[in-house]
Amino acid sequence: MKDVIIACVGKPSAGKSSFLNAVTDATAKVGNYPFTTIKPNNGIAYFPIECPCKRFGKSNLCAPRYGRCIDGKRFVPIQILDVAGLVPGASEGQGLGNQFLDDLRHANALIHVVDVSGTTDANGKETVGYDPIGDIEWLRGEIHSWIYGNLNKKWGQIVRRHIAVKASTAETLHNQFSGYGATLALVQRTLDRSGVKESMDTWEKETIRKVVDAFLDERFPTVIALNKIDLPDSDKNISKIMRKYDQNKIVLSSALAETFLRKLHKQKFVQYEEGTDNVQTKEDLPDSDLKPLDEKLQGRIEKVQDLVLYRYGSTGVQDVVLKAVEVLGLIPAFPVKSLTTFANANGKGVFRDCVLLWSGTTVLEFADIVHPEIAKHYLGAETIGNRKVWSLFRCVKDDTIA
């Protein structure tokens, strides 16, 4: 399985840089991760899940090879790709449009950071009263135009070849969509989603657009991070967007608030638990080594609490990454050598490894991900309760397999 990559996109001044700083520069960052190469525009985020060490009373022995585990909360690393160049006309090569669209090929999901306050226009310039709904439609429109344009300009040739080789619709489209990182199975899901049953040689332009629309849903699932929720006009814009778009793919966030709190945590002014509204100061923990706050800093913390933490429960930054993992249907799996000790081969600590699997991954495929030699000599596996599982058994959430 290739490394999962989540691309972060957003127009200039939407808060994308702040979001990236907040999500990748965390106290959970430990500097070691299982990825072979990290490009300059890639970062590492750590998202929290419940670690099985807590369920089995092994929290004191848990020793993750990558990330960390604190009292049964496991922080799992995942790659975040910083995609620059999102400007009007990107699909026509404007700005860094070609680079922007090329970068998207490597992503499994998108996080679209939107300035929900309406204080920046389509080009990222300061304004008042801008409707951010336009930004959501604009991103999808640019990607749609890019893919549709590539398909439409050679449609006649595509159809002639389709008829000549007597290929299925899925096979022909796969030849066109493979450059965007699509598998044949994904193309088949695209056709099922679109509901298009007609022969390709009868497709009108509107049918092609419909198929491309379904392809975007399958290939580039997108989480919308409504950023700058603490600014004055955010509330009315949030309500408008929530009425129009799928609320299950929208997360409210304040990247600047998260960055501010993490900075204070590192400087030992506060004790901040990421993903929560829990911020404690020297006044709350008099026996701690926290530094005392002056009046100005105390006021800034209280403002963040009133406008963000107490209203929404957190800054939302971690929730955005969790939602991206959720829309991808990823399953955290913990391979162990023994279902008694939960240790791995070298016996150093328990639940050392956490592997992210696609939904539907079989045990044999899982074994190959852990190590090809295991799959090569695969005899069988077990889950809790000594239940034997076979090579085609599909892994599901909360399965522990040895």
Side-chain angles (χ1 to χ4, degrees):
M1 175 179 174
K2 293 182 179 179
D3 295 334
V4 178
I5 297 177
I6 299 173
C8 189
V9 301
K11 72 180 185 184
S13 301
K16 180 169 70 79
S17 295
S18 298
F19 179 85
L20 284 164
N21 288 336
V23 79
T24 60
D25 185 22
T27 54
K29 191 171 182 179
V30 296
N32 61 334
Y33 30 77
F35 313 121
T36 53
T37 58
I38 299 295
K39 296 180 180 179
N41 59 338
N42 282 29
I44 306 299
Y46 294 81
F47 65 94
I49 61 171
E50 183 178 330
C51 185
C53 70
K54 188 173 185 179
R55 193 181 357 151
F56 296 106
K58 302 280 187 177
S59 296
N60 61 321
L61 297 175
C62 193
R65 190 190 306 274
Y66 307 111
R68 64 173 183 168
C69 183
I70 299 176
D71 296 327
K73 182 185 282 190
R74 181 82 163 233
F75 290 86
V76 181
I78 195 165
Q79 288 196 67
I80 303 289
L81 172 65
D82 180 6
V83 180
L86 178 57
V87 296
S91 60
E92 300 168 2
Q94 298 296 318
L96 297 175
N98 290 331
Q99 182 63 50
F100 162 73
L101 296 168
D102 188 62
D103 281 346
L104 289 187
R105 302 174 195 266
H106 306 292
N108 300 103
L110 308 181
I111 292 173
H112 185 193
V113 181
V114 175
D115 177 2
V116 75
S117 70
T119 55
T120 53
D121 65 17
N123 294 299
K125 297 178 180 178
E126 284 191 31
T127 187
V128 291
Y130 176 77
D131 188 350
I133 278 186
D135 293 338
I136 299 172
E137 295 169 344
W138 165 42
L139 172 69
R140 187 176 178 91
E142 288 289 351
I143 302 174
H144 190 286
S145 295
W146 171 48
I147 296 174
Y148 171 78
N150 289 341
L151 206 57
N152 186 57
K153 66 185 178 185
K154 52 183 178 180
W155 186 249
Q157 179 185 342
I158 292 170
V159 171
R160 285 196 302 273
R161 186 182 186 281
H162 170 71
I163 295 172
V165 302
K166 299 180 180 180
S168 68
T169 300
E171 289 169 338
T172 295
L173 286 180
H174 179 241
N175 286 335
Q176 304 305 315
F177 288 155
S178 60
Y180 308 109
T183 63
L184 181 61
L186 187 145
V187 173
Q188 186 59 62
R189 293 199 304 271
T190 294
L191 289 170
D192 293 341
R193 179 186 284 267
S194 71
V196 173
K197 304 293 184 183
E198 299 85 1
S199 174
M200 282 185 69
D201 59 323
T202 67
W203 288 11
E204 302 289 341
K205 289 187 176 182
E206 196 53 44
T207 306
I208 301 173
R209 288 191 179 94
K210 186 176 181 181
V211 170
V212 171
D213 211 40
F215 178 68
L216 291 187
D217 290 334
E218 289 290 338
R219 178 61 188 85
F220 298 109
T222 302
V223 174
I224 300 170
L226 298 183
N227 195 34
K228 305 184 183 181
I229 55 176
D230 51 323
L231 296 186
D233 286 342
S234 294
D235 284 351
K236 68 176 185 181
N237 291 330
I238 289 170
S239 298
K240 190 188 301 184
I241 291 170
M242 289 291 194
R243 287 195 297 269
K244 184 170 183 178
Y245 292 96
D246 183 359
Q247 295 185 24
N248 290 323
K249 295 184 179 179
I250 295 174
V251 182
L252 308 182
S253 66
S254 175
L256 279 180
E258 181 74 10
T259 302
F260 171 66
L261 292 173
R262 287 180 170 180
K263 182 179 179 181
L264 292 185
H265 181 91
K266 287 181 179 179
Q267 295 174 340
K268 292 198 173 292
F269 281 108
V270 301
Q271 186 171 300
Y272 170 53
E273 186 179 345
E274 300 152 21
T276 73
D277 62 357
N278 187 11
V279 179
Q280 294 179 297
T281 64
K282 183 71 171 179
E283 186 176 337
D284 302 312
L285 302 170
D287 296 329
S288 69
D289 61 351
L290 293 177
K291 301 174 185 176
L293 302 173
D294 60 30
E295 188 174 331
K296 182 179 179 180
L297 199 52
Q298 179 70 43
R300 290 181 67 189
I301 292 172
E302 290 175 356
K303 186 176 180 180
V304 169
Q305 289 174 318
D306 293 341
L307 295 178
V308 180
L309 299 183
Y310 295 158
R311 290 187 67 187
Y312 302 106
S314 75
T315 66
V317 169
Q318 278 196 348
D319 293 333
V320 173
V321 181
L322 276 170
K323 181 62 70 174
V325 172
E326 179 185 312
V327 300
L328 285 172
L330 294 174
I331 301 169
F334 298 83
V336 297
K337 185 178 181 181
S338 167
L339 289 175
T340 303
T341 65
F342 303 111
N344 65 355
N346 62 24
K348 295 180 179 178
V350 302
F351 299 111
R352 292 272 288 160
D353 298 300
C354 178
V355 180
L356 296 178
L357 303 177
W358 295 111
S359 178
T361 300
T362 66
V363 173
L364 184 57
E365 291 167 340
F366 180 26
D368 188 58
I369 292 167
V370 175
H371 199 291
E373 286 297 311
I374 298 177
K376 186 178 178 181
H377 303 287
Y378 180 85
L379 295 176
E382 292 182 341
T383 65
I384 298 299
N386 296 320
R387 183 164 62 99
K388 299 283 186 181
V389 293
W390 308 109
S391 60
L392 296 181
F393 177 85
R394 299 193 182 278
C395 303
V396 297
K397 188 177 179 182
D398 293 332
D399 265 338
T400 303
I401 297 174

